[in-house]
Amino acid sequence: MISQSLMQVIIVLLCAFLLKKVIIFERKKKSPPNLKHPPSPPAIPLIGHLHLLKPLIHQAFRDLSIRYGPLLYLRVGSVQFVVASTPSLAKEFLKTNELTYSSRKMNMAINMVTYDNATFAFAPYGTYWKFMKKLSTTELLGNRTIGQFLPSRTREIHEFIQILADKSNAKQRVNLTEALLRLSNNIISQMMLSIKSSGTESEAEQARGLVREVTQIFGEFNISDFIGFCNKWDLQGLKKRAMDIQKRYDALLEKIISDREESRRKTQVTKVVGCEDKVKDFLDILLDVAEVKHSDVDLTRNHIKSLILDYFTAATDTTAISVEWAIAELFNNPKVLKKAQEEVDRVTGNKRLVCEADSPNLPYIHAIIKETMRLHPPIPMIMRKGIEDCMVNESMIPKGSIVCVNIWAMGRDPNIWESPLKFRPERFIESEGSAIDTKGHNFELLPFGTGRRGCPGMPLAMRELPTIIGALIQCFEWKMFDSKGKMLEHGKSLINMDERPGLTAPRANDLIAIPVARFNPTPFLQV
């Protein structure tokens, strides 16, 4: 016999269950007739579609989109993803519904390393983000500031070419991957903190090492971010690594900032003649802003540290990786390389080194950059978090869903590009392709994102890339080696173009080469 109290509990639970069904039924009656999620693969209870993913997530998403369609719904643990893989869908999310998708998803590693809510890159769309965006575009990365640091960028590129020329004379191998990272890091270190590499223990060297660790951990999949009951455990050791990275980064930045504050105090006391004409780096600009009272935003020390980290990671890895992919593609496509060298030779007359002022006269170099970013975008997916429900293509995208615009997949889509896997820069010079730019206006090519959350560093990147790539192909041919140390035959053997996991989708193997000088560049260098 069932006791009376137990029977009452059963009746209450049954009534609650029936009431819930009635409420759901009534909501469906009031909802639009075609209200539904986008297509989705079969899911497993608790983990959802976790079993369908692989380390290169953008490739896994592309494979699933080919099977289930360009608008795809996935659930990884408790997190909902919507994957978009066409220009029209990219436009729908990033322009038509831009305000709904103007926020980014944080995760454990990002929270810990970027001082929680102090980050600009991952901050929600609001007062702080708007303030930092304006500061970035008008002060930190405005045309005036970028122009002031032209001599510094030129000197760094010339020193880089001199190092390669010395390696060429000695017939020595160079790790081009590491050398390009050092170059891009030196440039941004000078602009941000007035420091550069000079020995293994330099502040710039420490910063560059930390940047690589940050971009790697930001791009790694952490199961605790998706499976709710796992968030109390550090199953993969990522929390421990993130804490270690943050501790080392904070110590480095604290020393740099403290030294700068002491230097500023001494300057104010002594009023050194000529200091007014000194070009201010990013740190000086940020400290000036932090001293302003009654500003729209009170800039804290953590804000400054986090913003510096944002720009270090954005301007070091992405620039270096884009140049590396371009050089690898040019080695694999000797006809394209020859045509690019002829353009640079024609512009410079081989009487000087190519420079930033030559950029408007290098359309084929710009086409190479676009073609490189089509196949190897610096950030393979644009990810946004929805702040409210949204209808796209007659599908309901629930509030809180993470929308992933898979620009890597779009760059390889035969429905968008003719012969998509072929490296053919001419597509951006001929007919309709000439109108496609890197600003994301056409949505076929989105290497820097688009709209409000487009990358503020694009103007700097598009000054650096043509100059660095132009100088490398103007001054050198390349003897390349595979991952096992075997020399590749130019025009016959191909460099492996596999990727490895990371926030910036770098090449799987370092690019090792012996530079072969086309002429002696030393007389043209400012070193």
Side-chain angles (χ1 to χ4, degrees):
M1 293 287 294
I2 299 177
S3 67
Q4 186 176 0
S5 58
L6 183 56
M7 180 63 74
Q8 289 174 342
V9 172
I10 293 173
I11 292 172
V12 170
L13 291 175
L14 182 60
C15 290
F17 175 77
L18 293 172
L19 179 60
K20 182 180 179 181
K21 288 291 186 182
V22 170
I23 292 172
I24 292 173
F25 179 73
E26 289 297 322
R27 284 179 178 172
K28 287 184 177 180
K29 281 172 55 179
K30 295 178 182 179
S31 300
N34 294 325
L35 193 61
K36 57 184 179 181
H37 286 317
S40 179
I44 293 176
L46 190 63
I47 68 169
H49 300 100
L50 177 62
H51 62 294
L52 299 177
L53 303 186
K54 53 188 178 184
L56 295 171
I57 303 237
H58 53 282
Q59 293 189 16
F61 282 177
R62 189 276 306 268
D63 295 342
L64 290 169
S65 294
I66 290 173
R67 182 172 181 182
Y68 292 96
L71 188 64
L72 174 69
Y73 174 82
L74 299 170
R75 181 174 59 83
V76 181
S78 59
V79 180
Q80 300 178 93
F81 286 89
V82 174
V83 182
S85 303
T86 65
S88 60
L89 288 169
K91 183 177 181 180
E92 190 75 17
F93 285 111
L94 302 177
K95 183 177 181 180
T96 306
N97 296 288
E98 183 181 13
L99 287 176
T100 300
Y101 297 101
S102 289
S103 294
R104 290 180 173 174
K105 175 180 169 53
M106 300 281 281
N107 61 34
M108 179 276 297
I110 294 170
N111 275 330
M112 293 186 65
V113 176
T114 61
Y115 301 87
D116 294 318
N117 61 353
T119 176
F120 164 56
F122 294 92
Y125 181 73
T127 302
Y128 171 68
W129 183 88
K130 292 177 183 177
F131 178 83
M132 295 312 304
K133 174 78 171 186
K134 181 179 179 180
L135 180 66
S136 297
T137 53
T138 59
E139 293 290 335
L140 301 178
L141 291 168
N143 287 330
R144 180 178 62 85
T145 303
I146 291 177
Q148 287 178 330
F149 281 97
L150 173 59
S152 174
R153 291 194 300 278
T154 300
R155 184 171 57 253
E156 290 297 334
I157 293 173
H158 285 205
E159 288 182 6
F160 175 61
I161 295 299
Q162 182 64 66
I163 290 171
L164 294 178
D166 293 341
K167 293 285 186 181
S168 176
N169 290 334
K171 295 181 172 57
Q172 292 180 345
R173 299 185 189 188
V174 58
N175 185 323
L176 204 54
T177 300
E178 291 292 341
L180 288 168
L181 279 169
R182 185 176 291 107
L183 171 64
S184 59
N185 183 253
N186 274 349
I187 290 173
I188 196 62
S189 295
Q190 292 257 22
M191 294 181 68
M192 295 195 70
L193 305 171
S194 299
I195 61 175
K196 66 173 291 183
S197 297
S198 56
T200 56
E201 297 301 321
S202 73
E203 291 172 335
E205 290 281 352
Q206 294 177 57
R208 185 171 73 253
L210 285 166
V211 163
R212 297 205 73 178
E213 293 183 60
V214 167
T215 54
Q216 182 175 341
I217 200 170
F218 281 7
E220 290 183 36
F221 180 84
N222 180 20
I223 194 170
S224 298
D225 288 325
F226 300 95
I227 309 297
F229 66 83
C230 294
N231 58 17
K232 295 182 180 179
W233 300 301
D234 189 17
L235 300 174
Q236 299 159 260
L238 291 177
K239 184 176 181 180
K240 182 179 179 181
R241 282 173 53 202
M243 290 176 63
D244 176 65
I245 292 170
Q246 200 279 334
K247 182 179 179 180
R248 287 184 287 129
Y249 173 80
D250 186 74
L252 174 63
L253 259 292
E254 184 60 39
K255 180 182 182 301
I256 292 172
I257 294 173
S258 296
D259 290 348
R260 179 63 57 84
E261 288 174 332
E262 179 63 23
S263 174
R264 285 162 63 95
R265 279 192 293 269
K266 289 180 179 178
T267 300
Q268 290 174 356
V269 171
T270 57
K271 299 186 183 298
V272 177
V273 177
C275 281
E276 295 80 2
D277 299 327
K278 177 180 177 291
V279 176
K280 290 186 176 182
D281 60 21
F282 287 18
L283 180 55
D284 273 324
I285 294 172
L286 292 173
L287 290 173
D288 287 345
V289 173
E291 292 173 359
V292 175
K293 296 181 179 179
H294 310 299
S295 176
D296 292 343
V297 170
D298 292 327
L299 208 63
T300 68
R301 206 173 191 81
N302 280 355
H303 285 137
I304 294 173
K305 291 176 181 176
S306 186
L307 188 67
I308 290 171
L309 179 64
D310 287 341
Y311 280 111
F312 260 136
T313 52
T316 296
D317 258 23
T318 52
T319 301
I321 286 171
S322 293
V323 176
E324 183 183 350
W325 278 118
I327 295 301
E329 287 286 5
L330 289 173
F331 180 86
N332 285 351
N333 295 272
K335 291 182 179 179
V336 176
L337 173 59
K338 187 174 187 300
K339 188 172 179 180
Q341 287 173 329
E342 289 172 351
E343 179 178 75
V344 176
D345 292 346
R346 185 168 59 252
V347 169
T348 63
N350 275 337
K351 296 179 180 179
R352 58 179 176 81
L353 197 67
V354 66
C355 63
E356 287 188 12
D358 294 319
S359 184
N361 301 317
L362 299 171
Y364 197 64
I365 296 294
H366 280 272
I368 287 170
I369 293 169
K370 292 178 185 178
E371 183 72 339
T372 300
M373 290 181 167
R374 177 183 71 84
L375 287 169
H376 315 286
I379 304 292
M381 291 191 297
I382 299 173
M383 303 182 73
R384 299 286 186 268
K385 184 177 181 179
I387 59 173
E388 59 185 18
D389 291 345
C390 184
M391 290 291 295
V392 174
N393 276 22
E394 298 184 347
S395 293
M396 168 57 73
I397 313 299
K399 175 183 176 180
S401 296
I402 309 302
V403 169
C404 305
V405 177
N406 195 343
I407 57 178
W408 182 90
M410 286 165 51
R412 296 165 181 263
D413 189 341
N415 296 315
I416 303 172
W417 307 97
E418 181 182 352
S419 303
L421 298 183
K422 183 177 181 180
F423 189 81
R424 198 175 73 86
E426 287 77 8
R427 74 175 81 241
F428 291 105
I429 295 176
E430 301 165 352
S431 62
E432 296 179 359
S434 60
I436 298 176
D437 60 25
T438 55
K439 297 179 180 179
H441 294 155
N442 307 85
F443 294 92
E444 291 98 337
L445 192 68
L446 296 164
F448 299 102
T450 186
R452 287 173 173 83
R453 298 214 76 137
C455 176
M458 183 185 66
L460 175 61
M462 292 311 295
R463 287 197 184 206
E464 290 183 78
L465 289 172
T467 312
I468 297 172
I469 294 171
L472 286 173
I473 65 174
Q474 177 189 9
C475 297
F476 305 103
E477 304 283 355
W478 301 92
K479 292 181 180 179
M480 295 290 182
F481 297 83
D482 63 19
S483 59
K484 297 180 180 179
K486 181 181 177 181
M487 185 181 293
L488 302 174
E489 290 188 60
H490 192 48
K492 296 181 180 180
S493 305
L494 298 180
I495 295 174
N496 184 289
M497 304 298 272
D498 290 342
E499 303 172 12
R500 63 175 170 83
L503 183 67
T504 50
R507 295 181 65 257
N509 302 299
D510 285 2
L511 199 59
I512 310 297
I514 295 177
V516 180
R518 298 179 69 219
F519 62 93
N520 179 17
T522 302
F524 310 136
L525 302 178
Q526 303 170 21
V527 295

